[in-house]
Amino acid sequence: MRIFFCGLALAIGFLPSQGFCADLPSQDPVPFLKVNAPDALLRPDSIFVFGGALSTTSLGSTLKFNLDHPADIIKYDNYIAGAAYNHDFYKLGLGFTLGVEVGIADRFGHYALCCNTIIKSSSLLNSGELWAGPRISFDGFVLFDTIRIAGAVTTGLSFTTNSIGVERDRELANNGSARVLIYFGPEISISMVNHPEWELVYREQHRSGANGTFGRMREGYNANVFGVRYKF
């Protein structure tokens, strides 16, 4: 416990010279991130900025970019843009790291309802989203001493202001509410070894009702998003 409080003091830049922490060895504010990790991966904080399209299909089909559906159906109705903050705080070993994420997004477009019944608005519609939860990332592997391919998954709870598009359609079909659902966000990232602070990221955004447990919903909205993460 003494190590914890002294470590907290170190992390915020306060280093007691005597007394309670005087006999503890000098430590890095995030020493646990150095365990079996190259220097390139010792950046515990990051900002992820992204944009993409909101899918009208299931989690599995969205992962396949809806290529398993006929070309004549509406595969994407509205759009999403947002940002997330990540903080890594514990190395689990074998290249895995435990962290947390908090994100916000604007879901927008002209589809008020899709796709059993289609209602489009002449004005732009907006739906806000906030999510937070734990994140597990994997350091990945390096190709040709040049490119690092890594991955992560974030889960938690997702909160929205209202529903549009196919999410609204699913609410009506289930007589449910998508205001609070489970968040699930698997991702793949690519970075250059000589510039590890920048990552190109693909993520699937998924909102789940856990088979009716939340809001009598099976699914809310899914999305294919691409973005950039900066680590610091």
Side-chain angles (χ1 to χ4, degrees):
M1 184 62 69
R2 183 163 64 112
I3 292 175
F4 171 80
F5 285 111
C6 292
L8 181 61
L10 286 166
I12 62 175
F14 174 68
L15 180 61
S17 59
Q18 59 184 1
F20 189 67
C21 299
D23 59 341
L24 290 177
S26 177
Q27 298 195 31
D28 188 280
V30 285
F32 36 79
L33 289 177
K34 291 186 176 179
V35 179
N36 298 322
D39 183 67
L41 303 177
L42 304 182
R43 300 169 182 265
D45 299 286
S46 64
I47 296 293
F48 173 45
V49 180
F50 64 87
L54 290 161
S55 173
T56 63
T57 67
S58 66
L59 168 67
S61 292
T62 305
L63 279 170
K64 301 171 187 174
F65 291 88
N66 292 327
L67 295 176
D68 57 343
H69 283 263
D72 59 344
I73 73 164
I74 299 174
K75 299 180 180 180
Y76 297 93
D77 53 4
N78 294 309
Y79 302 92
I80 184 171
Y85 166 73
N86 307 120
H87 176 71
D88 295 333
F89 59 85
Y90 191 74
K91 273 288 181 182
L92 299 173
L94 301 177
F96 291 93
T97 301
L98 179 63
V100 293
E101 175 173 295
V102 177
I104 56 172
D106 179 25
R107 309 179 309 167
F108 60 94
H110 293 280
Y111 282 91
L113 189 65
C114 188
C115 294
N116 292 319
T117 300
I118 297 176
I119 299 177
K120 296 188 71 175
S121 171
S122 58
S123 60
L124 190 67
L125 304 172
N126 296 89
S127 170
E129 180 182 6
L130 167 71
W131 68 91
R135 177 176 184 266
I136 295 179
S137 58
F138 177 56
D139 293 344
F141 53 91
V142 175
L143 296 177
F144 312 113
D145 295 322
T146 304
I147 298 175
R148 177 176 295 277
I149 299 176
V153 61
T154 302
T155 188
L157 291 177
S158 168
F159 308 87
T160 59
T161 57
N162 59 294
S163 293
I164 57 176
V166 75
E167 186 174 79
R168 179 56 181 154
D169 186 72
R170 289 167 175 163
E171 282 185 328
L172 294 174
N174 293 281
N175 191 27
S177 170
R179 296 296 77 74
V180 181
L181 296 179
I182 293 174
Y183 179 85
F184 180 65
E187 68 178 57
I188 296 175
S189 61
I190 299 175
S191 61
M192 304 298 292
V193 171
N194 58 346
H195 287 288
E197 69 274 23
W198 293 102
E199 291 182 343
L200 296 177
V201 180
Y202 162 71
R203 174 184 288 193
E204 173 160 353
Q205 300 264 114
H206 172 63
R207 304 187 73 234
S208 170
N211 198 29
T213 303
F214 289 79
R216 295 192 294 273
M217 301 286 291
R218 292 182 61 86
E219 287 186 297
Y221 240 145
N222 299 302
N224 296 118
V225 305
F226 294 88
V228 176
R229 175 177 288 114
Y230 177 70
K231 295 182 176 182
F232 57 96

